[in-house]
Amino acid sequence: MLRFDIITIFPEFFRGVFDFGIVRRARAGGLVETAAHDLRTWTHDRHKVVDDRPFGGGDGMVLKPEPVFEAVESLAGAGDAQSLREAGKRVVLLSPQGRVLTQELAAEFAAVEHVVVICGRYEGVDERVAERLATDEVSIGDYVLSGGEPAAVVLVDAVTRLLPGALGSETSAVNESFSAGLLDFPNYTRPVEFRGARVPEVLLSGHHAEVARWRRRAALAKTRRNRPDLFAHLPLDDEERATSTGQEEEGNF
Ligand code: 6GU
């Protein structure tokens, strides 16, 4: 059982968001547990203040360290990053300054027992949280969100679907293909012709080896077109590299 504890100033954001699809089923099946906690719970002043002005000046407010440290210590126990990791726990600070979340990092989180997630807010979080409290500082991509809450939903989804038993066996192969740095092949279903666009003939042929060859080539062409960064790192033989020339777009391989 993996437990996610999410620390946020918007706990209501998470009401219902984990009640759908794979995550709902994983929760119902006891594979994962999620809880959202209001950061203001760990303040001690009348106005439950969680932020303050940045030293050195500048716009916006910074999340104060004290409530964040108290929240994490009450949920995960005290301890430095190393002892937390040794206990099978991670404390993840979500921020645009983090390491970008990959399938590999999601798999690391899927292998532990407890993930405490800190949702950054405002213009930032006191850096001592990243330096002295979090085991990981994670971003979900190169764009700016107003806060870490949508990123927490992404993290829980990406990790939960990797838990043993969360997916059917045929879907787990898809995820392996992305782990291998190649995008999934294009899929089609009925009708064979839709608004003048036909399903590639080979997929109707029943020739399994031909279908497999088409899918491999289509996946390579799509990866090359949409993700040249991934394509550049694929371990391809000369023929595969040469035949993924982008001329396959009409389904003629
Ligand atoms: Cl984790 N937080 C924020 N505020 N923006 C982001 C992000 C996280 N990941 C990408 N952009």
Side-chain angles (χ1 to χ4, degrees):
M1 158 74 81
L2 171 58
R3 178 176 175 87
F4 284 100
D5 282 302
I6 301 168
I7 300 164
T8 173
I9 62 165
F10 296 132
E12 302 81 8
F13 183 94
F14 297 94
R15 301 294 176 238
V17 80
F18 300 129
D19 291 346
F20 302 88
I22 301 284
V23 175
R24 181 196 182 99
R25 210 172 61 207
R27 291 174 67 213
L31 304 181
V32 68
E33 192 171 9
T34 58
H37 307 273
D38 190 341
L39 178 61
R40 296 183 198 280
T41 304
W42 290 278
T43 58
H44 301 285
D45 62 304
R46 284 164 44 80
H47 296 105
K48 304 188 173 186
V49 175
V50 293
D51 60 347
D52 203 344
R53 294 151 64 202
F55 279 122
D59 292 332
M61 300 289 272
V62 174
L63 280 188
K64 297 163 58 62
E66 303 96 316
V68 180
F69 272 71
E70 284 195 35
V72 169
E73 285 164 358
S74 77
L75 293 166
D80 60 10
Q82 191 186 330
S83 57
L84 286 165
R85 281 172 178 258
E86 284 167 4
K89 297 172 186 289
R90 296 293 190 93
V91 176
V92 179
L93 172 61
L94 290 173
S95 99
Q97 283 72 49
R99 283 199 288 159
V100 176
L101 180 64
T102 59
Q103 197 66 14
E104 190 181 4
L105 186 55
E108 269 188 48
F109 295 140
V112 306
E113 286 182 359
H114 192 189
V115 180
V116 176
V117 180
I118 304 161
C119 298
R121 264 283 139 181
Y122 302 106
E123 272 60 39
V125 178
D126 186 285
E127 188 64 16
R128 287 165 290 193
V129 171
E131 284 176 349
R132 304 280 284 272
L133 185 65
T135 60
D136 302 85
E137 185 173 7
V138 174
S139 161
I140 62 162
D142 293 337
Y143 40 80
V144 180
L145 302 173
S146 323
E149 285 79 7
V153 175
V154 167
L155 178 69
V156 168
D157 189 287
V159 171
T160 297
R161 60 194 305 291
L162 294 178
L163 297 174
L167 296 182
S169 55
E170 87 275 16
T171 11
S172 62
V174 168
N175 135 50
E176 277 176 15
S177 89
F178 188 85
S179 297
L182 182 65
L183 301 184
D184 192 12
F185 53 76
N187 288 292
Y188 296 86
T189 186
R190 293 183 293 178
V192 166
E193 185 170 335
F194 175 69
R195 299 189 181 183
R198 285 186 59 82
V199 173
E201 289 297 328
V202 60
L203 299 181
L204 313 175
S205 69
H207 290 103
H208 296 303
E210 285 288 294
V211 168
R213 211 167 70 94
W214 182 89
R215 283 177 167 170
R216 167 84 180 164
R217 295 176 60 142
L220 286 169
K222 192 146 187 175
T223 304
R224 181 178 176 275
R225 180 192 178 94
N226 285 352
R227 294 295 305 275
D229 56 324
L230 294 180
F231 187 79
H233 291 102
L234 288 172
L236 301 181
D237 59 39
D238 289 346
E239 199 216 316
E240 279 177 315
R241 194 165 294 279
T243 54
S244 304
T245 54
Q247 295 181 90
E248 305 92 338
E249 301 302 329
E250 286 84 47
N252 308 311
F253 289 85

